[in-house]
Amino acid sequence: MDTRLNDDCKDEPGDGVWNLRLYVAGQTHKSITAFNNLKKICETHLSGKYSIEVVDLMEKPQLASGDQILALPTLVRKLPPPLRKIIGDLSNTERVLVGLDLRPVK
């Protein structure tokens, strides 16, 4: 899994760019599904205005405490504030859009 920041993002974080961090545990089916679902949602709703950092806790478990990660996969919206967390494989697009504040709660 690619753990680099999204190359599609040309702006620096903080300039209206959404900074997203996806915590996973290795390259499991659920982790890959979560990344693919997140990428699709970002391309559709945040095209060119986002960066995704994938953190594999199997390689860097110490990073879990910083964002208080209790379940995997977990998506953390770092920017724009406030910080938001969404747990799961992100297959429910509506729930993810509401969780990221891209769509109002119905």
Side-chain angles (χ1 to χ4, degrees), residues 67-83:
D67 283 324
Q68 300 177 339
I69 302 302
L70 302 174
L72 296 172
T74 296
L75 172 64
V76 177
R77 183 184 82 179
K78 306 289 273 183
L79 290 173
L83 186 133

Side-chain angles (χ1 to χ4, degrees), residues 50-63:
Y50 69 94
S51 65
I52 300 172
E53 179 184 9
V54 178
V55 177
D56 187 345
L57 293 181
M58 298 294 281
E59 296 176 6
K60 301 174 185 174
Q62 71 277 11
L63 296 179

Side-chain angles (χ1 to χ4, degrees), residues 1-101:
M1 188 176 305
D2 185 6
T3 59
R4 294 172 292 152
L5 294 177
N6 180 3
D7 291 335
D8 297 338
C9 179
K10 306 293 185 226
D11 299 325
E12 292 296 320
D15 293 334
V17 175
W18 289 59
N19 186 328
L20 306 170
R21 183 176 287 172
L22 180 64
Y23 288 92
V24 298
Q27 293 191 24
T28 64
H29 174 71
K30 204 168 187 178
S31 298
I32 293 168
T33 299
F35 178 77
N36 289 336
N37 287 333
L38 177 60
K39 182 84 173 167
K40 188 167 81 176
I41 290 168
C42 287
E43 282 299 313
T44 302
H45 298 279
L46 298 169
S47 184
K49 299 185 298 186
Y50 69 94
S51 65
I52 300 172
E53 179 184 9
V54 178
V55 177
D56 187 345
L57 293 181
M58 298 294 281
E59 296 176 6
K60 301 174 185 174
Q62 71 277 11
L63 296 179
S65 62
D67 283 324
Q68 300 177 339
I69 302 302
L70 302 174
L72 296 172
T74 296
L75 172 64
V76 177
R77 183 184 82 179
K78 306 289 273 183
L79 290 173
L83 186 133
R84 299 273 181 155
K85 294 179 187 175
I86 302 170
I87 297 171
D89 66 4
L90 311 176
S91 59
N92 185 333
T93 302
E94 184 68 25
R95 182 175 161 256
V96 174
L97 292 174
V98 170
L100 291 174
D101 280 339

